[in-house]
Amino acid sequence: MSAPHYKMETRDINGDKPPDLSGSCGSYLNGTLHIFAGCDPVGYTNQMFSVDLTEQSCTWKKVTDTKGTTPSPRNKHSCWVHRDRLIYFGGYGCKTIGQVQNTTSASFVVDEMSWATIGDVLFRCWGWNNEVSVYEPHTAMWSTPETRGPAPAPRGCHASALIGNKGYISGGVETLELDMFCLDLDTWTWTQFDFSPSCSPLGRSMLTMTPTSDHTLFIYGGLGIDGNTLNDVWNLNTQKKEWKRMTHQHKDKPRVGHSACLGRDSDVVVFGGSSNMCLLMDSVAVLRAPSQNQCRDVFMFQTQPCSLFRLCEDLIAENSEVFEEQLTWLPSKLRNKIDKRVAFFSSTKPVLTA
């Protein structure tokens, strides 16, 4: 069965553009893309930028005059979009010594310390956190809910996903098996899943986790704790709390630092990342750095059989000349979908040459 039709578009956006960022977090809510934090050429930032993608002429806006306490500068964090709120978790970044003294050791793990001059000379700490921060765009308000239950260890480079009112966090820490935590976004209560080590995925970071049903999470790739770029696929049944390793046709496409999103008919669409993450050694530490094997291809995992509608749609599109008269009878919305599929199949047909 042929793949569904996906089309990339490039849009010119003016305005107050964000700086070049690594490890930032983008979230889409009600037609608006929000970019929060990341590492710019100067250092870690906690700035937010937004752009309304429903406008004909898009314009970046720097979000200012927010209320509440903005989270500390960071990158490698994640976000859940729930009930018109952006809910951020974790990441790696810096705090002043005063902020660290007001933070429990369970929510911020110091990785490095140094002096930094920002106005007055401040002693700054860099490290990982497991903080939960909520931003409400309609009021420009930041807040920090009080959570209960066994929270994940401070981390970044993890994967997150949302199913209903439950936010899931997995990976990003040096554990032998891949861990899984769930945060109830109504009660702010954490739950940790217990798995049998004999049937759990290898621990990893920079993976992706995509919800494909109301109780299934799809895990792909990442950098394993063994130092290898992974190409395995796992499904987690969140009701039974069971892992299942899946077979797939993309064994030649290991990925780390990639992105994945839910496509049509529960397909998982993967883009970008690196096909090989190098481990660089020096006399002090082991440094992880991306190799030159950066990827720009798009590929897809089909997680369930095609629907009858999709099968009929493809049959009609592949044989549009046979159904030419009947196509004029279709409602405009359905005709538009068929026309896009016809265009897709036409572009993939081989051209005969003499």
Side-chain angles (χ1 to χ4, degrees):
M1 177 55 57
S2 59
H5 177 62
Y6 295 107
K7 181 180 179 181
M8 285 191 174
E9 296 181 0
T10 301
R11 303 185 69 173
D12 293 326
I13 306 178
N14 300 311
D16 196 351
K17 298 180 180 180
D20 293 338
L21 293 168
S22 64
S24 60
C25 187
S27 306
Y28 183 79
L29 172 62
N30 296 332
T32 298
L33 174 65
H34 301 266
I35 302 291
F36 174 65
C39 197
D40 63 22
V42 177
Y44 293 92
T45 176
N46 59 357
Q47 295 179 338
M48 179 176 283
F49 296 81
S50 68
V51 55
D52 186 345
L53 298 177
T54 65
E55 296 178 349
Q56 188 69 28
S57 178
C58 299
T59 303
W60 280 110
K61 297 178 182 178
K62 185 177 179 179
V63 178
T64 58
D65 298 326
T66 60
K67 298 182 280 291
T69 302
T70 304
S72 57
R74 64 194 60 194
N75 72 351
K76 302 181 177 69
H77 49 301
S78 64
C79 180
W80 300 299
V81 179
H82 179 63
R83 291 187 177 177
D84 293 334
R85 301 170 299 173
L86 306 178
I87 305 171
Y88 294 95
F89 171 82
Y92 183 92
C94 56
K95 292 178 180 284
T96 66
I97 190 64
Q99 290 173 323
V100 173
Q101 289 173 341
N102 292 326
T103 304
T104 65
S105 58
S107 62
F108 187 81
V109 175
V110 175
D111 179 51
E112 181 184 355
M113 293 184 180
S114 69
W115 290 97
T117 303
I118 302 178
D120 297 328
V121 176
L122 298 173
F123 194 59
R124 305 215 100 189
C125 302
W126 280 259
W128 308 94
N129 76 79
N130 64 357
E131 298 164 355
V132 177
S133 303
V134 179
Y135 180 70
E136 299 180 58
H138 64 286
T139 60
M141 172 67 76
W142 282 103
S143 62
T144 303
E146 183 177 348
T147 63
R148 299 178 293 175
R155 64 186 67 196
C157 300
H158 54 277
S160 68
L162 180 73
I163 298 179
N165 68 333
K166 303 291 195 303
Y168 294 86
I169 292 293
S170 183
V173 288
E174 299 288 331
T175 55
L176 185 59
E177 291 88 27
L178 189 62
D179 61 359
M180 183 68 66
F181 291 82
C182 172
L183 179 62
D184 187 311
L185 301 180
D186 291 330
T187 65
W188 303 111
T189 302
W190 284 107
T191 303
Q192 182 176 8
F193 287 19
D194 293 322
F195 302 113
S196 169
S198 61
C199 61
S200 295
L202 181 72
R204 64 194 68 193
S205 59
M206 290 181 278
L207 66 156
T208 53
M209 180 165 61
T210 310
T212 55
S213 76
D214 59 3
H215 62 272
T216 307
L217 294 170
F218 181 96
I219 304 288
Y220 180 63
L223 182 67
I225 60 168
D226 59 359
N228 292 317
T229 299
L230 305 175
N231 65 352
D232 52 342
V233 169
W234 296 79
N235 272 344
L236 173 67
N237 186 311
T238 59
Q239 294 176 345
K240 298 180 180 179
K241 296 181 173 58
E242 292 179 351
W243 288 109
K244 182 179 180 181
R245 185 163 187 169
M246 312 300 292
T247 59
H248 64 93
Q249 72 274 33
H250 298 304
K251 294 293 186 181
D252 61 335
K253 296 182 183 295
R255 287 293 184 272
V256 59
H258 52 293
S259 64
C261 65
L262 191 64
R264 185 179 176 189
D265 296 330
S266 297
D267 295 335
V268 175
V269 183
V270 175
F271 171 74
S274 172
S275 61
N276 186 24
M277 181 72 77
C278 292
L279 296 182
L280 306 179
M281 298 287 295
D282 67 14
S283 59
V284 178
V286 177
L287 303 177
R288 288 177 176 168
S291 71
Q292 297 303 311
N293 299 314
Q294 299 297 321
C295 306
R296 57 178 299 175
D297 57 335
V298 178
F299 56 98
M300 183 195 72
F301 294 93
Q302 185 176 332
T303 66
Q304 64 182 25
C306 292
S307 65
L308 179 59
F309 181 86
R310 177 164 158 185
L311 292 173
C312 294
E313 186 183 65
D314 284 354
L315 175 65
I316 295 170
E318 282 189 288
N319 302 276
S320 57
E321 65 281 357
V322 177
F323 299 100
E324 185 174 357
E325 180 182 354
Q326 288 84 352
L327 288 177
T328 62
W329 303 344
L330 295 176
S332 59
K333 188 174 182 179
L334 181 55
R335 175 64 187 271
N336 185 52
K337 295 182 68 175
I338 296 294
D339 286 345
K340 289 182 178 179
R341 294 299 285 157
V342 170
F344 170 76
F345 284 112
S346 297
S347 67
T348 59
K349 288 180 179 179
V351 178
L352 298 179
T353 58

